[in-house]
Amino acid sequence: MATDTRDGTALVARDGALDLTGASSLPKELSAPSALTVSLRVLVLARQSPQLRVLPEALRALTALELLDVRGNLLETLPAWVLRERTGLAVLAEGNPLHLELPAAGESSQLFEDASFPADARALFRDGATEWAGHVPADSVRWLRPHELCPDGDARLIVRGTESADVVQGCLGSCWFLSAVAVVAMRGGLAERTFALAAVEGAPAGQLTVQLWKEGRWRRVTIDDRLPCDADGSLLYARSAEPTELWVSLLEKAYAKAHGSYEALISGFADYALRDLTGGAPQRLRFGGGGDEAALWQQLRGWAAEGAPIGCAFSLSALPAAAADAADGARATGRELLSKSGLLRGHAYAVEAAREVAGRRLVRLRNPWGYGEWRGAWSDGSKEWTAELLQELGHTDAEDGSFWMEVSDFAREFNTLYTARRFPDGWGRRAVRGEWAGAGAAGCPRAAGWRRNPCVRLVLREAAEVYIVVSQRDARICAAGLQPPPPAAAADGAKARGPSIGFVVLSAADVDAVRRAGGAPRPEQLAVRGTPLRAEREVASDREVRLGAGAYALVPFTFAAGEAGAFEVEVFCSAPA
């Protein structure tokens, strides 16, 4: 990697069908850069610990890894895309790093304490002191370890694998994060992958290290195992439905530390959390008013077939303020709105399944609260259910937060789908970083000097489908003081926003045409664009776009000129790399 010191744009070259190169302005000629070979690296923790051994047959040809529990039972088969993207994987045959080792009598004083995320108000609250409305006083919070929460000695990180029903929300407004946790957990291996580094040999007792995808790479977050509880010793925030299982609470703590405090997790977008947990490419689909149910169903089924985690919400931010206030006679419930149907507006749900049964298209959802369900057709105890359908769909009439509804009702009651895409084997990912600075922070195409924005050169050696993501600094992390904020970023937690960002992609021929004509490109000249222009962490193309062989210019921009900041461009491509 090299850096163009004139405008700070990172220059990256990769061999294969797709090349990316940074440039300081729209290029007249787009030539292929020199190639650098990038090799595959997979870190297998088992090689570092005498308690574990590698399964050679799982590594043969690097097409899949199998995760086994201590008894040799299959926990998960990890496909090739995991091998390409993920590090820190433990392949277990002997030993069990997912077991929380409880201290012997008299050893509690030797347990690890994380001074960077201390067990006091500094970890709880955004300003390190002031509790939010309705929260218990900080001086009444007890910080308990696993052996104190489970004095019988039966505390475990994971009990019988992970599933969406494990996840129960506490008094923290982190449903966006927990709905993502629930939907990823049901696909198996989330906690096994996230906590793989918990078994690092020589780590002190009471320490856990997890992996989160932040700022374009896997990052390690180390915590101690002290958890905030009320005066009675009950967990304040997220917990598992199984009282002796602690992975949900500990993962939420690591995520809170990554963003500066527990309070920083109040309110957010499920696709942000899905990306942070999986490293997948974020995609958000807006719909509403019934819309095209067939297209919505096709999208749901397509993502489900990919194995992509899916979340949904009725997003109030997608509505005019007056409509949000009056939506369906809803009444206020904190920051969310409870509708007559039993569903919450402004609340994130996990999509667990999409099934076509007896001529009906049905969607199964889960409320991370563990209660509060849909009251319409196909709800618990409704007339649509028969004994045969209950058995076929594995449904039980219980107030557990899980429910089914028909896709026509789903299309009416929700308006947003979220996912983190994992593209099929054979797709490649290329990334380049840069910044908007000085004259290079030139604003959107309507601005007079927009062509001075940094430009990324794409070269396709053959026709291919591409999916593009442009991201900026995580304003939630910036607001916590963990990164310097961009000048335009708001400074207040959940409302933290960077500038509105977008991008356009033009072919080489259209680059010349735009240069000759001046001004903004016409809509028909845009091969791809990131829409809508949003003040969010990431903006992506709304779907995969097929581009012909040739050279293209990708121009990331902020809405207003003068909004400086760093960005990353990711291009996912179906052509072989």
Side-chain angles (χ1 to χ4, degrees):
M1 177 180 290
T3 301
D4 184 337
T5 55
R6 291 171 299 174
D7 66 0
T9 303
L11 307 181
V12 176
R14 300 285 190 266
D15 66 347
L18 174 64
D19 294 325
L20 280 86
T21 308
S24 59
S25 62
L26 286 172
K28 182 176 181 181
E29 294 182 359
L30 303 177
S31 58
S34 60
L36 299 173
T37 299
V38 180
S39 61
L40 172 69
R41 293 186 301 169
V42 179
L43 172 64
V44 180
L45 183 63
R47 293 174 178 169
Q48 303 175 4
S49 173
Q51 286 78 35
L52 306 176
R53 65 180 175 85
V54 179
L55 301 178
E57 65 272 20
L59 295 175
R60 190 181 302 126
L62 291 177
T63 58
L65 284 179
E66 292 183 344
L67 292 182
L68 306 181
D69 66 14
V70 67
R71 297 179 180 84
N73 299 317
L74 181 66
L75 291 174
E76 183 188 14
T77 298
L78 300 177
W81 55 259
V82 175
L83 300 180
R84 289 199 306 269
E85 298 283 342
R86 197 177 297 279
T87 62
L89 297 174
V91 182
L92 315 180
E94 298 174 327
N96 184 4
L98 303 180
H99 169 79
L100 285 176
E101 183 176 350
L102 302 182
E107 289 185 346
S108 297
S109 62
Q110 302 172 22
L111 297 177
F112 172 71
E113 294 186 359
D114 182 9
S116 65
F117 199 62
D120 58 32
R122 288 171 289 177
L124 298 176
F125 310 125
R126 193 174 289 121
D127 65 1
T130 309
E131 59 262 18
W132 64 88
H135 194 279
V136 300
D139 57 8
S140 70
V141 175
R142 300 172 62 193
W143 293 81
L144 302 181
R145 293 192 184 266
H147 69 280
E148 296 169 315
L149 287 163
C150 304
D152 293 336
D154 54 357
R156 295 291 184 273
L157 190 57
I158 299 170
V159 177
R160 297 184 300 277
T162 64
E163 57 184 24
S164 59
D166 289 346
V167 183
V168 179
Q169 187 175 351
C171 70
L172 185 67
S174 58
C175 66
W176 61 283
F177 168 64
L178 294 177
S179 69
V181 172
V183 75
V184 177
M186 66 178 289
R187 278 152 177 79
L190 166 68
E192 288 89 340
R193 293 193 301 267
T194 305
F195 285 100
L197 295 172
V200 172
E201 190 178 13
Q207 173 182 304
L208 295 97
T209 300
V210 307
Q211 299 178 112
L212 297 171
W213 182 268
K214 303 298 289 184
E215 305 296 315
R217 58 181 52 85
W218 289 107
R219 297 184 183 273
R220 301 180 180 186
V221 181
T222 297
I223 58 171
D224 63 40
D225 59 9
R226 294 177 291 178
L227 293 168
C229 301
D230 63 20
D232 296 326
S234 298
L235 289 165
L236 276 175
Y237 306 138
R239 59 179 175 83
S240 173
E242 169 59 55
T244 62
E245 184 177 60
L246 297 175
W247 73 269
V248 177
S249 303
L250 291 165
L251 179 56
E252 185 183 54
K253 179 175 182 176
Y255 203 65
K257 179 180 178 178
H259 296 89
S261 68
Y262 278 97
E263 186 181 3
L265 302 189
I266 296 175
S267 185
F269 295 109
D271 49 341
Y272 286 13
L274 287 172
R275 181 165 170 80
D276 293 344
L277 292 168
T278 69
Q283 188 167 358
R284 188 182 304 175
L285 176 66
R286 300 282 197 189
F287 57 93
D292 187 344
E293 293 173 17
L296 177 60
W297 179 252
Q298 183 178 8
Q299 187 70 84
L300 275 168
R301 295 281 284 181
W303 287 351
E306 288 179 4
I310 310 170
C312 67
F314 186 96
S315 176
L316 297 174
S317 64
L319 298 175
D325 290 340
D328 195 26
R331 59 183 178 83
T333 306
R335 295 189 179 187
E336 293 146 339
L337 298 170
L338 180 62
S339 72
K340 297 174 183 177
S341 68
L343 299 176
L344 289 153
R345 311 305 199 197
H347 184 67
Y349 293 80
V351 178
E352 296 185 316
R355 295 277 303 276
E356 191 159 358
V357 179
R360 301 298 185 101
R361 294 173 170 177
L362 302 176
V363 183
R364 186 176 70 201
L365 307 177
R366 177 171 293 277
N367 184 344
W369 287 0
Y371 63 90
E373 300 179 7
W374 162 245
R375 298 172 186 160
W378 299 95
S379 60
D380 288 351
S382 70
K383 60 182 176 57
E384 288 79 13
W385 288 106
T386 64
E388 293 76 17
L389 286 173
L390 286 169
Q391 182 175 3
E392 183 173 355
L393 294 176
H395 182 67
T396 56
D397 289 343
E399 181 67 15
D400 56 3
S402 181
F403 57 91
W404 291 86
M405 60 194 307
E406 203 155 356
V407 70
S408 55
D409 291 324
F410 179 87
R412 184 176 61 254
E413 295 290 337
F414 294 93
N415 62 11
T416 309
L417 278 177
Y418 308 94
T419 191
R421 302 287 304 280
R422 308 300 311 210
F423 293 99
D425 292 345
W427 281 61
R429 173 186 176 271
R430 299 290 183 258
V432 61
R433 294 185 173 196
E435 63 178 358
W436 298 290
C444 70
R446 293 182 180 179
W450 77 278
R451 288 182 293 168
R452 291 194 294 268
N453 279 300
C455 171
V456 176
R457 183 164 55 228
L458 279 65
V459 179
L460 283 172
R461 298 195 179 104
E462 59 185 77
E465 291 187 350
V466 299
Y467 184 78
I468 299 170
V469 180
V470 172
S471 55
Q472 60 179 324
R473 285 177 178 168
D474 190 332
R476 193 182 298 263
I477 293 178
C478 294
L482 303 177
Q483 284 184 350
D492 184 22
K495 295 183 179 180
R497 296 285 189 274
S500 294
I501 61 173
F503 66 87
V504 294
V505 177
L506 298 91
S507 69
D510 286 325
V511 167
D512 290 336
V514 169
R515 179 181 292 106
R516 290 192 299 269
R522 299 187 305 275
E524 62 270 19
Q525 292 175 314
L526 302 180
V528 189
R529 58 181 172 179
T531 56
L533 192 65
R534 293 196 299 251
E536 294 181 8
R537 193 178 73 177
E538 290 119 358
V539 171
S541 46
D542 58 2
R543 56 185 172 83
E544 300 95 310
V545 176
R546 187 163 186 82
L547 298 179
Y552 298 85
L554 189 160
V555 184
F557 55 82
T558 61
F559 177 72
E563 294 182 312
F567 65 82
E568 181 178 56
V569 173
E570 297 170 272
V571 178
F572 299 84
C573 179
S574 66

